[in-house]
Amino acid sequence: MDTAPEHANPGPPGPRDYTDVQHSAEFGELRRGYRSFVFPLTVAFIVWYLLYVLLSNYAGGFMGHKVVGNLNVAFVFGLAQFLTTFLIAWWYSRFAAAKLDPKAEALKTRLEAENLQRAAGGGIGHQADRLIKDKSELTGKEDDA
């Protein structure tokens, strides 16, 4: 008498599933899109920040030059650092919402559909087959199960 449920929940995807996703073209495109935005902008911001620090240390005359009233160039640069930080965060949020989030959502939807299909079609048996295969690869022999 079999007491196992007919459609058992397969649980979360295993490590092998995530590795397959990581090597997929969809994920590669998502990662390239993210890196093409983040890396250049990070480098630009670090250069901008270091320029501020270097000018503050080595160009005191320039940074001390009055712009308006008692506001000098150093103060304006300092405020610009904060403004730049918020602008980059806003820009990234718009970029992610327009370019990255739709691709990530499509990838997530595909994975969830595959997991549902796996649960409906194979259930636990599919995972057990994979475990048997993995075990036979480790031991070097196949079971006739």
Side-chain angles (χ1 to χ4, degrees):
M1 179 160 149
D2 189 15
T3 59
E6 187 174 322
H7 295 289
N9 183 2
R16 180 176 244 159
D17 294 330
Y18 289 119
T19 302
D20 292 343
V21 171
Q22 184 180 7
H23 295 298
S24 72
E26 287 173 295
F27 188 76
E29 185 180 327
L30 182 63
R31 187 174 44 221
R32 270 189 304 282
Y34 171 77
R35 288 178 177 173
S36 70
F37 183 87
V38 171
F39 287 160
L41 208 53
T42 300
V43 169
F45 184 78
I46 289 172
V47 167
W48 163 237
Y49 176 74
L50 289 176
L51 175 69
Y52 172 66
V53 171
L54 291 173
L55 286 175
S56 294
N57 284 324
Y58 299 110
F62 171 70
M63 295 297 271
H65 181 72
K66 302 270 187 204
V67 177
V68 175
N70 285 332
L71 299 178
N72 59 16
V73 173
F75 186 74
V76 172
F77 265 55
L79 289 178
Q81 292 289 317
F82 285 104
L83 179 64
T84 306
T85 301
F86 290 112
L87 284 174
I88 289 172
W90 172 77
W91 191 15
Y92 175 76
S93 132
R94 290 193 56 198
F95 171 79
K99 306 281 184 188
L100 301 178
D101 291 349
K103 291 177 185 177
E105 188 63 34
L107 183 60
K108 177 185 165 202
T109 303
R110 183 178 64 80
L111 288 173
E112 287 174 346
E114 286 176 5
N115 284 340
L116 284 174
Q117 187 178 33
R118 196 178 300 157
I124 299 294
H126 178 72
Q127 289 180 342
D129 291 343
R130 193 165 58 189
L131 287 173
I132 291 170
K133 181 181 176 202
D134 290 346
K135 180 182 171 189
S136 67
E137 288 173 0
L138 289 173
T139 61
K141 53 185 165 175
E142 292 191 24
D143 290 336
D144 294 332

